Amino acid sequence: MSQPPQHLELTKVDIDFPTPNGPFKALQDINLTINKGEFVSLIGHSGCGKSTVLNIVAGLYQATNGGCLLDGKEVNAPGPERAVVFQNHSLLPWLTAYENVELAVKQVFGKSKSKAEMREWIEHNLSLVHMDHAMDKRPDEISGGMKQRVGIARALAMEPTVMLMDEPFGALDALTRAHLQDSLMEIQKDLNNTVIMITHDVDEAVLLSDRIVMMTNGPAATVGEILHIDLPRPRDRIALADDPQYNHYRHEVLTFLYEKQRTPDSGLSSKKKDEATLKVATGEHKPKAKGEDKAA
């Protein structure tokens, strides 16, 4: 009997960014399979290509070689089945929390839901992140943690099969971050979304994840090791603090980051990496799409 297709597959993914000094290979031979409902964290030093992997899954970047499949279909453009939550909440400041979520809902469900159904769906998703009491407030009237909750509600309201989270709690204070981590675990348990999250926080990765994908240093970054986190759910951060298995997993990640990957590979200097990244981000240089001819 044949095996069902994997939910999300990255196969032999390379990506090159053009720079004035020639192509900069950000990723090389990325192979990763993710099951439906799995929570996977990507961790590694700055410049190791974590966000680039996320952008390929989001359809914002096209791999130079290889590719990404979601439920057997090639990912080559953004789509509502893949919602992105950034570190910056990216809310429109002149709209209320409700209206920010409403934008996404109208885009995805404008032709399939009535106004009453859309309103009920918006309020439902705001209640999932405990923001139904502040739905009529604008971003400048709520805290950073509340803004991020609205950003998560907006992503959930698209009813994605995959949530892509780029350091969603990195700019928050420790207490707010802990509350949002707990909320995310509850939501993921209830909805069974697949989650891919970038983090620099080892404790966050161990607490939240089913697997931690540890990236090697760039350039030509790839998957170094994958750590399976076999801790029962629901997870209690206080109970886990003294748990030997939790601390073993934590030690494994720290060993990879600070012993096996202590010194970045030779290549572009940090300054040049930042310059290349900036040029890509501003559109001055863009990665080549698959099949595109090499630049003269």
Side-chain angles (χ1 to χ4, degrees), residues 92-101 134-139 150:
L92 296 178
W94 59 88
L95 298 181
T96 64
Y98 178 94
E99 291 167 338
N100 268 283
V101 177
M135 66 174 65
D136 295 322
K137 293 187 179 295
R138 292 190 304 273
V150 177

Side-chain angles (χ1 to χ4, degrees), residues 41-48 50-51 87 166-168 170 197-205 253-254 257-258:
S41 289
L42 304 180
I43 198 166
H45 294 289
S46 295
C48 74
K50 301 181 298 295
S51 293
Q87 184 178 119
D166 194 347
E167 292 191 74
M197 186 181 72
I198 292 173
T199 183
H200 283 103
D201 186 325
V202 174
D203 288 294
E204 178 174 77
V253 180
L254 290 170
L257 292 175
Y258 297 108

